[in-house]
Amino acid sequence: MTLSPFGRQTAPSVEHARLAESPDHSDPWRLWGPYVAGRQWGTVREDYSADGDAWASFPFDQAHRRAYRWGEDGIAGLCDRYGFLNLAVAMWNGQDDRLKERLFGLTNPQGNHGEDAKEYWWHLDATPTHSFAQYLYRYPQQAFPYDQLVAQNAERTRDQGELELSDTGILADDRFFDVVVTHAKAAPTDIVMTITATNHGPDPAPLHLVPQLWFRNTWAWGRDDRTPTLTVLHRPDVDEQTHAAVVADHATLGRYVLSADGVPGTDGSTRLPELLLCDNESDSESLWGVPNRSAHPKDAVDRAVVRGDRSALATDGPGTKAAFHYRWDAVAPGESVTVRLRLAAGPLVDRPFSTVDAVVADRHADANAFYDLVIPAAVPAEDRLTARRAFAGLLWNRQLYRYDVEEWLQGDPSSPPPPPERLASEPDGRNTSWRNLALADVISMPDEWEYPWFATWDLAFHAVALSHVDPAFAKSQLLLLCREWAQHPNGQLPAYEWSFSDVNPPVHAWAAWQVYLRDGAWDTDFLIRILTKLVLNVSWWVNRKDSEGSDLFEGGFLGMDNIGVFDRSKSVPTGWRLEQSDATAWIAFQCLQMMRIAQELGRQNHAFDDLATTFLERFLGIVRAMRSFGSQGVSLWDDEDGFFYDVLVGPHGETEAMRVRSLVGLLPLLAVANCPPWVREELTDFDESLRWLERHRPDEVASLTTSHPADGEALTFAVVDPTRMTRLLERLLDEAEFLSPHGIRSLSAAHRDGLTIDVAGMSMSMRYTPGESDTGLFGGNSNWRGPVWFPLNALLINALHTYAAGSAAGATVEFPTGSGERLGLHDVAQRLEDRLVGLFRPGPDGRRPGDPRDLLPGPLWTGNPTFAEYFHGDTGVGLGATHQTGWTALVAHLICTPQSAYDPGESPSDG
């Protein structure tokens, strides 16, 4: 057996063995997973409007009545990897105006932060094959305050903060049900789902649990009219005294049977759920006053449960959506009720619930054994919980992403043609230059609510954390966006669905190298595949983002949204261009990572030797531009300030430095790589080129390469020379500037009182804002003007370890600046890691520094860590999205990676 992730001879756990059997996305153990989105409404894919307002085009209030075109959504759901058949949980508390079927939150126009879901849920556990997974949803016992949340947030200013669900008082005295959903696989196509709801409130409360099975609507669009069916099973096929069942027949998936167990009645009898059937079709009459395609639209179940209106149900079937309706008139305080279901391929499982409890227990034991190996034994219990929950969030946030841009632009044969405005060239039209993009893949999402769509640089960070639990999936994610049906023919990688043409930082090569190392440095085929595609991407950067051929780049916002005084993608003054410290540093960083990959490949195939030399030359050109002068004779480095700045270049060559101390000026520190001694011995082309440079440009080479103190043949390549590195680290580690008690801030706290700079004759201001955004730039949904963000912190930590393992092995710096305590860079990096991990460590009251402010006190809340999108620069309080076990899951990477594992330039295989 070949087991790439964890040693290739024997499987150290049952789950590792399953992974060994399932390296590919089409393998049986990967067929079923948590691939249903938490939100499909309000996405670009469902938007067929002329103005591109996705939130208004498909709002939440239509989601329970309107069929989706490109995907589905549900709570704690699972589906096959093609998204044909879906199973998820719905609930009703007897008070809400609709079933609770999907997550709710504010849209961008309705509140300060469109990414903020007004719900509480936690991913409790998950294995990579989804053989075991648990999800906790907190369901209020009173009517969900949809209107109050919308109306009051619309009235609030940015300074007031948002009204959250807990602020309404609806959850006071623990008046909620905790609904724990467990998935456990008896076999790849035999899946158990249990739903346990516990009343934590002081009074009895009614509850309806309504698990639903439905087919994604693939038949209504005029492209494939084959319609699958759900039909009810009766005697003698099913024992109607103990359970109910439906058969799902699909042309591609085949036959599946979903069985639903009976529950104990008050008189000791077995009480079966009521089976409700309808079609996954839009209720066109109520939405648009147009006759329905089906007399049994998708909201028929909602009508029957919530309003007692059974007129739209397909009583005798068949249908394409089915629900099992369980009802308790009063669940006592502290009491739990449980529902059990089993979805299996082929014929009905004999006595389907006789082994369910054993299956759940066995898979839970498998999950424990797996994580006992993934998380080092020395990790303390509180950090183990954080890491396991972070991995669970990553694994639950894998979602099926379907989007064929050409089909979406043109519309469907059976639907009205989309407005012609959609076909306008960008930026007026959306994604019109990306007609090559056609995805139907399971992709790691940053957050199932905020981002039910991928973001390219987010995904690269996900892959690094995922490599600890599922290296094969991590590699597939990095490769996917470099495939010809995702990467643009010009070499650009798609940014995100709101604008694929936006520019994300080029972190793919770094992530690929990290994944390769974490996986044991054996899979050179993976490196070859990723490197050859990233060569195209580097060419795109050179051809499109270096307009003057100066080796100084103009990337735009580069993922760090409002970090500048203006929108760096759209608001650069007319006739001016912005030569960016961060864009240039990112390309230097990318070149060094690709050089290192090419060197690794050159050991086995000398054809990659000269490619390593190519990236060395590209790196040298960028360093010359950054270290000497920009295209108009102005250096990006300010020697007086000891900092790198963006430079604005006018139409007549006039220049203005953007003197904002932010992460933009620290990013040159990332461009560092260590080359082990074997490079010069084994890669002749690279060595000859370097020796030529040493003879003919000795000063230049001396300024960008430093020999390792213990081995003169081991070199460190870096944009920042030791003198400038020391000055940058003085600012980085200054608690009055970037060093927060909880990590590195995105903007220097020296700007607390604000700064004003002249931009092409206009006065513009900004200030350090440690918490939520106080500006509408980028919609106000992001803030890089002070908070701590995990991805850049992780990269800076990695860079410090790289310096410490190379040319700066003996160097020390003050930590913090001015303290008088001097530490080596490995220790500095470790101190920074501790500050980041400390965000998740409970205090005396059980509360974590990184908890969002709206989490209520008590063990029901403090027992569950959250993973905020970013953190307050002074207090560490979690901000933005609260379930972003996307790049914030890098905390698990920090916890599970010992210092000795950071790349010193050697590969693990070098011994």
Side-chain angles (χ1 to χ4, degrees), residues 425-599:
S425 298
E426 297 180 48
D428 296 321
R430 173 169 282 152
N431 297 331
T432 52
S433 63
W434 287 84
R435 294 170 186 259
N436 67 294
L437 192 141
L439 291 167
D441 298 270
V442 173
I443 300 180
S444 177
M445 307 294 175
D447 179 332
E448 65 185 299
W449 194 89
E450 180 196 356
Y451 290 97
W453 35 271
F454 70 87
T456 296
W457 79 310
D458 298 59
L459 187 143
F461 294 112
H462 304 181
V464 173
L466 282 164
S467 67
H468 291 267
V469 293
D470 194 352
F473 182 69
K475 294 172 192 175
S476 73
Q477 294 294 281
L478 293 171
L479 290 168
L480 174 62
L481 297 192
C482 296
R483 294 306 305 265
E484 53 274 18
W485 51 84
Q487 186 175 22
H488 197 281
N490 65 20
Q492 185 179 9
L493 298 183
Y496 45 82
E497 70 174 30
W498 292 87
S499 176
F500 287 131
S501 294
D502 263 346
V503 184
N504 275 185
V507 293
H508 247 60
W510 172 81
W513 182 243
Q514 295 299 312
V515 170
Y516 172 77
L517 294 177
R518 299 290 86 78
D519 191 30
W522 67 274
D523 193 355
T524 53
D525 285 350
F526 162 67
L527 291 183
I528 291 170
R529 294 180 66 192
I530 199 81
L531 182 65
T532 52
K533 292 302 183 73
L534 290 180
V535 167
L536 299 176
N537 183 241
V538 169
S539 296
W540 174 82
W541 275 92
V542 171
N543 293 327
R544 297 297 182 92
K545 295 298 178 179
D546 179 13
S547 59
E548 295 296 307
S550 63
D551 284 320
L552 295 173
F553 290 81
E554 314 120 32
F557 90 112
L558 284 172
M560 294 189 290
D561 301 1
N562 58 8
I563 202 164
V565 292
F566 54 81
D567 182 336
R568 298 190 300 165
S569 286
K570 301 175 183 177
S571 304
V572 178
T574 303
W576 294 66
R577 71 175 185 279
L578 191 68
E579 293 183 343
Q580 294 179 220
S581 171
D582 56 335
T584 306
W586 280 123
I587 299 304
F589 169 75
Q590 177 91 325
C591 286
L592 283 181
Q593 300 301 315
M594 294 177 71
M595 179 188 77
R596 188 65 191 88
I597 291 172
Q599 289 171 342

Side-chain angles (χ1 to χ4, degrees), residues 80-117:
D80 63 277
R81 72 155 309 278
Y82 308 102
F84 292 132
L85 187 60
N86 304 266
L87 175 63
V89 179
M91 294 153 273
W92 189 51
N93 56 17
Q95 306 292 324
D96 287 349
D97 65 353
R98 72 199 75 185
L99 282 175
K100 173 54 69 176
E101 298 177 274
R102 57 188 52 81
L103 299 177
F104 168 76
L106 298 182
T107 70
N108 280 7
Q110 288 174 335
N112 295 345
H113 291 268
E115 71 272 4
D116 188 14

